[in-house]
Amino acid sequence: MYRFRQVVGSNTYGFKSLGELMAKATPARSGDYLAGVAAQSAEERAIAQMTLADVPLKMFLEDLLIPYEEDEITRLIVDSHDLEAFQPISHLTVGGFREWLLSDYATSERLEQVRLGITPEMAAAVSKIMRNQDLILVSKKCQVSTGFRNTLGLPGRLSTRLQPNHPTDDLTGIAASILDGLMYGSGDAVIGINPATDNVAQACRLMRMMDEVIQHYEIPTQSCVLTHVTNTIEAIEQGAPVDLVFQSIGGTQATNDSFGFNLATLAEAQAAALSLQRGNVGNNVMYFETGQGSALSANAHFQLDQQTCEARAYAVARCFSPLLVNTVVGFIGPEYLFDGKQIIRAGLEDHFCGKLLGLPMGCDICYTNHAQADQNDMDNLLTLLSVAGCTFVMGIPGSDDIMLNYQTTSFHDALYIRQVLGLKPAPEYDAWLKRVDIVDAQTGRLSSQMPSAFRSSLGRLLGH
């Protein structure tokens, strides 16, 4: 009846499947209770974690959590698995894998050598038996860099997405937010807009506006309108200046079907973007967003826990060599991550799994206003992720997204963490900030005066 058993004193605990064992071993979160897959007590959770620690990593190659025939992401995971890269860790259990990852032997170089041998399910499993400090330590050792018009993910760097959203897509309002962000040194990861009106014509309009700003000021960064991937394909066909292709992705085929795309769609979009040859540092042209709970909200989770589904989304991302990936960790709401503690834990897990699998992992450190969380929780997660080597975070005026109606990180927050930890923007962007006098080249701090290159632009926005 039970595939996995654990006897503790006079009690016998049983778990019918690997998927059930994974779910019961997951640190508590509201989404798993909503799905009916969570452990019913702290004791059952601890027993499940002990049992999971004894599971051989090889089992994840044989005991597929979603059948191969039913799910193209399962097929992607199995068909792309690198047995040679897996060989150095193939003898380990989940618990042994944790010890190996934490050891001094597991250097950045060795982690890079084995990453294609690690499946998302292996990454998810080992994260479930790790403390927060374990997740931070291993993430810090995972080095992943990408490039388009600048180089992201280098050691000692923290990049930001300048997010100039506007509730009516007003170009003047968006331009003002872009200028505001640039003056704070934000925007080296991407200048990325969530459009209020999501159609091809509006996407092209926003793309052209951002391209004009980037070209006029010779900013070594990239732009993106976070519209549906099929809209971006059509925009490219219409001659729009597309830098990055965006898509929200999930960890099951059924989730992505509900989003209106599949792997073939992403491959078509990547090929179209590459054909434009707009990058001058690298050719990573994809930008993906994920988030725990998306599979459950689409009723496409196959009775798996939400963190395991999330890790499977990283297989999709890894297949397309993205410039950027970020988990929008608290955006769905307290139905999936109830409070600050759950949001912090989920952010650290997602970052760890993404980096372990070789992704340039960032995080939208956020919460909705009806969650049991506040900005102090976000400060804590921002600090922990930055210590862990997070690639990028969000930058939005006042940390309040007036279009999407949630709380995230501000331009000021990025300044705080860069100052505290001695982090810098991407090297090409850092040099540009100094060249145009946004940052004082001697002190490394923001200049006290508005740079002359932007003074006239601000005057035009104000009608002077």
Side-chain angles (χ1 to χ4, degrees), residues 149-150 182 191 210-222 280 428-433 435-436 438 453-454:
R149 291 201 189 97
N150 55 28
L182 294 175
I191 302 174
M210 287 190 290
D211 187 58
E212 288 175 7
V213 171
I214 290 172
Q215 298 301 327
H216 179 77
Y217 295 108
E218 299 179 332
I219 309 172
T221 191
Q222 37 282 327
N280 53 20
E428 299 88 349
Y429 197 81
D430 190 33
W432 176 80
L433 291 172
R435 186 169 66 250
V436 299
I438 292 175
F454 295 91

Side-chain angles (χ1 to χ4, degrees), residues 172 456-464:
T172 300
S456 59
S457 298
L458 181 60
R460 287 196 298 273
L461 282 175
L462 297 175
H464 296 165

